[in-house]
Amino acid sequence: TLKQLDGFLNMIADETYRMKGFVRLEGTLFFVDCVGPFVDYYVYNDPHIADVNKIVVLAGPGMRTRKSIKEARQWYEDAILEVE
């Protein structure tokens, strides 16, 4: 659900520089575009987007990104299928 996506992104946002990608929820395509702690996503109407349900996360030295993602996955384990 959109509430789960928002919760997951907000749990890890402070430990990232940037997050970006496309997620399809309940038949609606959303563009995720986050910078640091600022989480943003909006409906994106382009039927040609092929790389869906993937979010690229950029982080740097000293950031607890992996730990934050691991903790967030525990809260949303039925919604997050894979982390690479």
Side-chain angles (χ1 to χ4, degrees), residues 1-7 23-26 30 41 76 79:
T1 67
L2 192 56
K3 184 176 180 179
Q4 289 174 314
L5 176 64
D6 184 67
V23 176
R24 188 174 309 281
L25 298 170
E26 300 165 358
F30 291 91
Y41 47 87
Y76 300 102

Side-chain angles (χ1 to χ4, degrees), residues 13-81:
D14 283 339
E15 297 297 333
T16 68
Y17 289 134
R18 184 107 163 95
M19 293 186 283
K20 196 172 189 178
F22 294 96
V23 176
R24 188 174 309 281
L25 298 170
E26 300 165 358
T28 302
L29 183 64
F30 291 91
F31 177 59
V32 174
D33 188 19
C34 308
V35 178
F38 302 104
V39 173
D40 195 18
Y41 47 87
Y42 53 87
V43 174
Y44 195 84
N45 293 311
D46 185 345
H48 304 294
I49 300 297
D51 209 11
V52 177
N53 293 340
K54 292 185 181 180
I55 299 172
V56 175
V57 177
L58 301 177
M63 297 181 117
R64 299 179 41 228
T65 309
R66 288 181 191 261
K67 186 174 182 179
S68 293
I69 291 172
K70 185 178 179 181
E71 290 170 1
R73 280 193 76 188
Q74 291 176 349
W75 283 88
Y76 300 102
E77 62 185 323
D78 59 329
I80 306 301
L81 301 178

